[in-house]
Amino acid sequence: MDLSELGEAATFLRTIEVELLPPQATALDEKKKCWVPDDKNTYVEATFKGSGDDGKIIVETIDGKSLCVKEEEVQRMNPPEFDMIEDMAMLTHLHEASVLCTLKRRYECWMIYTYSGLFCVSINPYKWLPVYQKEVMAAYKGKRRSEAPPHIFAVADNAFQDMLHNRENQSVLFTGESGAGKTVNAKHIMQYFATMATMGEPREKPGTLEEQIKQVNLILEAFGNAKTLRNDNSSRFGKFIRMHFCARGKLSSADINIYLLEKSRVISQQPGERNYHIFYQILSGKKELHDMLLVSENPSDFHFCSYGVAAVENLDDAEELLATDVRLISY
Ligand SMILES: Nc1ncnc2c1ncn2[C@@H]1O[C@H](COP(=O)(O)OP(=O)(O)OP(=O)(O)O)[C@@H](O)[C@H]1O
């Protein structure tokens, strides 16, 4: 892929050739380099120094400590040319330490996507990265996975192309701990499908199916998302989103199944957490709404809304209520 197709996203997706140590110099050292377990950093870089008692190995860590460790705890280090590898399945020495090290090194350069065989690992950057623009989507269209840097759009495009060519249903599964970025990445994938399915048509027409899918998600978030200790907008239910396309790849319909809403949150919340966003949105609404629903504006007047916190930083409930209202009316 010509990286210029990616515009400013290129620097966040693929490294410019790194200067590597001369091969001879590394080849010798390489065999002595290893990872050993470390309480603080999980693994620390070390060099073999010799054999110790009971079949143990003596190593010197990068911070100068001499350790005697069991042989099975020592993990071989990959040569430096593997440092920023885009598919971890290609690592010569594939183990926990090398996976963590690769992900860390890439994340330090804000490269949040890395392949691991068929999987695409994504690390939450907790900041907006300029890697989701329309030009980036266009650059990934029709590319094979090996042709372009790892990206959630590559996963989306592969599924889309396979659907069109093989005429088979495709599924994308998002899994990870709370706050990992499942919802955000699912939205990017849906945006990609919607963009591909409407290419060449006037953009963002109000009322189109693409727009409706986007909006319905936001309504669901008002009723099914809440602040937790790990995520200010945590989805407290599972979703199975189905998008249907016609033979030419145009979006024809969509539906969403919802599973396992965390019902207990409605009557009780942990310290530092909140009930579902919608309750606080209603309480921050106008007086007419309060009169109609016989509620006050103060969450602490309501037992079920005041176990934890009432406000979320950078979240304006009054503004969100207006947005929820507009979206609900349009349905
Ligand atoms: N790719 C990303 N770029 C920027 N910010 C991100 C990205 N992914 C996640 N985030 C940030 O992390 C927050 C949590 O992400 P998200 O809600 O997607 O997690 P989740 O895995 O769906 O969590 P939960 O299981 O609790 O619903 C988002 O609100 C957003 O602020």
Side-chain angles (χ1 to χ4, degrees):
M1 173 191 247
D2 178 3
L3 288 186
S4 64
E5 285 177 55
L6 295 168
E8 65 168 325
T11 49
F12 294 92
L13 294 172
R14 185 168 272 171
T15 35
I16 304 147
E17 291 286 281
V18 270
E19 222 177 287
L20 299 172
L21 292 170
Q24 297 90 335
T26 54
L28 202 65
D29 277 3
E30 203 181 283
K31 296 204 177 99
K32 295 183 175 177
K33 295 267 185 189
C34 61
W35 296 102
V36 291
D38 179 63
D39 289 342
K40 189 161 164 254
N41 298 308
T42 316
Y43 290 98
V44 65
E45 200 178 319
T47 313
F48 286 108
K49 287 290 167 194
S51 305
D53 299 336
D54 305 332
K56 287 189 172 173
I57 286 174
I58 299 168
V59 296
E60 186 180 313
T61 64
I62 195 159
D63 42 8
K65 276 188 245 157
S66 185
L67 301 176
C68 193
V69 285
K70 287 189 202 142
E71 195 176 345
E72 60 269 23
E73 286 179 347
V74 179
Q75 304 195 357
R76 295 279 296 277
M77 191 175 284
N78 287 286
E81 58 267 31
F82 288 88
D83 274 2
M84 300 292 270
I85 199 155
E86 293 181 342
D87 185 349
M88 294 184 292
M90 312 288 284
L91 286 169
T92 305
H93 306 297
L94 182 58
H95 41 59
E96 190 179 56
S98 61
V99 166
L100 292 176
C101 166
T102 306
L103 293 175
K104 181 170 180 275
R105 289 209 170 118
R106 290 179 59 79
Y107 188 71
E108 280 164 356
C109 299
W110 292 116
M111 292 180 194
I112 60 168
Y113 295 111
T114 308
Y115 293 131
S116 176
L118 283 176
F119 292 86
C120 177
V121 180
S122 164
I123 303 190
N124 189 343
Y126 281 109
K127 71 168 191 174
W128 185 85
L129 299 176
V131 293
Y132 303 109
Q133 306 89 316
K134 293 267 148 68
E135 60 179 346
V136 182
M137 289 188 192
Y140 276 88
K141 185 171 183 278
K143 295 273 187 328
R144 277 197 305 274
R145 216 169 82 142
S146 53
E147 274 181 272
H151 200 296
I152 195 70
F153 291 161
V155 176
D157 193 70
N158 276 277
F160 197 67
Q161 300 302 335
D162 284 353
M163 176 194 70
L164 289 179
H165 295 137
N166 305 338
R167 302 265 176 245
E168 275 178 0
N169 290 332
Q170 305 289 319
S171 311
V172 183
L173 173 75
F174 297 87
T175 173
E177 63 177 54
S178 177
K182 300 181 290 294
T183 311
V184 169
N185 278 294
K187 282 184 198 167
H188 287 309
I189 281 222
M190 285 191 284
Q191 185 61 51
Y192 187 87
F193 290 146
T195 306
M196 288 304 125
T198 54
M199 240 172 192
E201 292 176 13
R203 296 248 68 84
E204 306 277 335
K205 282 185 289 179
T208 57
L209 196 51
E210 294 72 46
E211 187 60 18
Q212 284 182 24
I213 293 171
K214 219 189 296 173
Q215 299 299 331
V216 81
N217 245 317
L218 298 168
I219 297 174
L220 290 176
E221 287 189 7
F223 289 88
N225 283 29
K227 177 192 163 37
T228 64
L229 289 177
R230 284 165 157 247
N231 184 355
D232 285 353
N233 186 34
S234 182
S235 314
R236 310 311 297 165
F237 60 105
K239 263 182 276 187
F240 178 57
I241 306 171
R242 217 170 359 200
M243 296 170 89
H244 306 270
F245 298 85
C246 70
R248 282 177 301 119
K250 298 282 166 211
L251 193 54
S252 55
S253 66
D255 57 78
I256 302 183
N257 289 345
I258 282 162
Y259 304 96
L260 297 170
L261 176 74
E262 184 194 23
K263 293 185 193 142
S264 59
R265 184 171 295 272
V266 176
I267 54 160
S268 144
Q269 306 89 44
Q270 298 296 317
E273 302 202 345
R274 262 201 348 174
N275 208 326
Y276 291 103
H277 294 325
I278 190 66
F279 293 112
Y280 307 89
Q281 290 183 12
I282 289 172
L283 300 185
S284 60
K286 292 215 175 94
K287 186 168 179 312
E288 300 91 83
L289 181 67
H290 295 161
D291 291 347
M292 190 170 76
L293 298 174
L294 303 176
V295 294
S296 73
E297 59 178 15
N298 191 354
S300 58
D301 290 342
F302 302 94
H303 198 55
F304 292 156
C305 285
S306 50
Y307 279 95
V309 291
V312 179
E313 214 180 314
N314 301 324
L315 185 72
D316 185 337
D317 290 312
E319 218 172 85
E320 292 296 320
L321 174 69
L322 295 177
T324 306
D325 204 20
V326 169
R327 287 167 194 141
L328 280 170
I329 289 166
S330 65
Y331 270 86

